Amino acid sequence: IQKISIFLILFLSGISMHSLINTKSQIPKYFTGFLYMINPFVYERFMAGHWQILLAYSVLPFVVKSFIKFFENPNKKQIIKTCLWVTLVAALNTHTLFLTLFLSLIYLIYKLIKAKEKKQMIKSTAILALFFIILNIYWILPLFTAESTTLAQITSDDLAAYETKRGNFNEFMQTLMMYGFWRENAYILPKNIIPAYIYFPLFFILLFLTIHGYLNCKEKYKTPILIVGILAQLLAVGVGHPWFRDIFTFLFAHIFILKGFREPQKFIALLVFAYAFLGAYGIDNILEQLKTRKTKIIAAALIIAIPFAYTPTMFNSFWGQIHTTDYPKDWYEINNYLNQDRQDFNVLFLPWHLYM
């Protein structure tokens, strides 16, 4: 099961993003698939063991594609399909569910501003929401009727404990580069092992492709995706930077579900999505301007290599950090000691990692 999960996290991330892009050339589709699969966000979460988050993240492009079809043609069949996709995300991870709903809300607002038939759009969305609630009543009802929940126990102290890392510059730059995880100093980071004069140009190429892609993309939903990417990056900063601390604290205190984001770097998932989506169209435009086949082949090879060069630590057993191991010797000694004791007793094991 673990091996299947590992495989699906990477495979579905690439395939789902590849299927979302509508370009004539295949190169932008492969670029976007590789970038969505291989990036600092996925790397850090993988190292932290957040596999449920990554599984939900891997199918997010499928959900977005379904939402796009729903907003274009909200018939009964599409309502059911979209509802099932969102339900799958909910079953995998509630954090990613909120990110999905956040993205769809921005797109809905955008569509309502542009659409002529607003009543029909609102009606279809209400039906979709109703179907979703019915399918997910088994966890929604306990969440909102329980006397006490995990969310209610989260306070501003948690925001300080899981504060976004500032890196070499500040929290804004750190999150913009798809970093910022509160525990990232425990891992080998690509930006720390690759010389700055190589790594920063790679980042600025990704940033350029995103901006260039937005300016040249002809897809109708490019603007809400850009807005989502910008808002997600700001929210990922959390209370880490003084400029944004009061804003995030206010949102944290007044939006109930946002309390689930005591660790706001999860919003970077949407930033990665925006990079991958818009970057693909930036590449498509650049390739169209190249004249010779040889030039296009060279450019394609260099472009596809960018995600691999930006996060090389996902290779070679995650840079040698992940490997099979055995329990410590003293664990066996204690186990033998307890097995020899024939009295009736219980043993409490306290975790040695993560939330100690």
Side-chain angles (χ1 to χ4, degrees):
I1 292 175
Q2 290 177 332
K3 290 178 181 178
I4 292 172
S5 298
I6 293 170
F7 172 76
L8 288 177
I9 286 168
L10 302 175
F11 178 75
L12 291 177
S13 294
I15 292 295
S16 62
M17 201 68 206
H18 181 282
S19 69
L20 182 62
I21 304 302
N22 297 313
T23 57
K24 293 180 180 179
S25 172
Q26 289 293 316
I27 300 304
K29 294 183 179 183
Y30 281 106
F31 166 83
T32 194
F34 284 132
L35 180 61
Y36 195 70
M37 176 174 63
I38 304 168
N39 58 73
F41 172 79
V42 172
Y43 166 67
E44 291 181 344
R45 295 293 164 174
F46 205 103
M47 290 298 297
H50 295 175
W51 293 4
Q52 290 295 108
I53 292 174
L54 291 178
L55 273 172
Y57 161 91
S58 71
V59 299
L60 178 60
F62 284 138
V63 184
V64 173
K65 189 174 183 178
S66 185
F67 262 115
I68 290 170
K69 290 181 179 179
F70 164 76
F71 285 124
E72 294 299 322
N73 184 23
N75 54 46
K76 292 180 180 178
K77 186 177 179 181
Q78 191 56 50
I79 288 174
I80 294 171
K81 284 183 178 180
T82 305
C83 184
L84 290 174
W85 274 117
V86 180
T87 299
L88 173 62
V89 173
L92 291 172
N93 180 253
T94 51
H95 292 100
T96 312
L97 170 65
F98 178 80
L99 297 179
T100 303
L101 297 178
F102 175 71
L103 190 153
S104 60
L105 177 63
I106 297 296
Y107 189 66
L108 174 62
I109 294 170
Y110 181 81
K111 283 291 292 183
L112 288 174
I113 294 171
K114 297 286 185 179
K116 295 179 181 179
E117 296 293 332
K118 292 180 173 59
K119 289 184 179 179
Q120 181 60 39
M121 181 64 67
I122 293 171
K123 181 182 177 182
S124 300
T125 305
I127 294 171
L128 173 61
L130 179 62
F131 280 178
F132 175 78
I133 291 171
I134 292 171
L135 278 177
N136 294 270
I137 196 72
Y138 69 94
W139 66 265
I140 292 176
L141 189 63
L143 177 65
F144 288 98
T145 58
E147 293 182 5
S148 178
T149 64
T150 305
L151 290 180
Q153 298 170 18
I154 296 174
T155 67
S156 56
D157 291 338
D158 292 275
L159 292 179
Y162 301 103
E163 189 176 295
T164 302
K165 292 291 183 181
R166 63 176 288 107
N168 299 327
F169 296 95
N170 57 50
E171 291 81 1
F172 288 101
M173 190 65 180
Q174 189 80 342
T175 51
L176 201 62
M177 294 177 70
M178 296 177 276
Y179 290 91
F181 181 45
W182 65 274
R183 200 174 182 269
E184 66 183 16
N185 289 343
Y187 316 124
I188 299 172
L189 300 181
K191 66 186 184 71
N192 291 340
I193 63 173
I194 299 174
Y197 61 84
I198 295 176
Y199 201 74
F200 280 99
L202 285 173
F203 165 68
F204 285 113
I205 289 172
L206 288 173
L207 200 59
F208 166 77
L209 290 173
T210 303
I211 297 170
H212 188 68
Y214 176 77
L215 295 175
N216 292 278
C217 179
K218 296 178 182 178
E219 300 290 347
K220 290 183 289 186
Y221 38 86
K222 66 174 184 178
T223 299
I225 288 176
L226 178 68
I227 293 171
V228 165
I230 293 171
L231 292 177
Q233 191 266 328
L234 292 175
L235 288 168
V237 171
V239 297
H241 198 281
W243 292 357
F244 201 66
R245 183 173 296 148
D246 291 341
I247 297 173
F248 190 86
T249 303
F250 175 82
L251 295 174
F252 180 82
H254 292 86
I255 301 177
F256 172 72
I257 201 164
L258 200 61
K259 284 198 171 186
F261 287 82
R262 59 180 179 178
E263 178 213 327
Q265 307 90 29
K266 291 186 179 78
F267 278 100
I268 295 175
L270 294 179
L271 176 64
V272 176
F273 178 86
Y275 279 156
F277 180 87
L278 296 173
Y281 291 96
I283 291 168
D284 191 48
N285 180 263
I286 291 171
L287 291 177
E288 284 181 357
Q289 298 178 40
L290 299 178
K291 303 298 182 183
T292 65
R293 178 179 172 81
K294 183 179 180 180
T295 307
K296 287 186 177 182
I297 292 173
I298 295 172
L302 292 173
I303 286 167
I304 289 179
I306 291 173
F308 297 88
Y310 194 71
T311 318
T313 48
M314 285 187 65
F315 300 93
N316 189 31
S317 299
F318 283 73
W319 221 250
Q321 297 171 93
I322 294 181
H323 51 82
T324 55
T325 188
D326 202 351
Y327 289 108
K329 185 180 178 181
D330 53 3
W331 282 42
Y332 286 105
E333 292 176 0
I334 293 174
N335 189 49
N336 291 332
Y337 172 80
L338 295 175
N339 287 337
Q340 291 171 12
D341 191 334
R342 300 304 177 186
Q343 297 182 50
D344 185 18
F345 64 91
N346 292 319
V347 179
L348 174 65
F349 290 91
L350 298 177
W352 57 270
H353 70 306
L354 200 57
Y355 298 107
M356 185 171 62

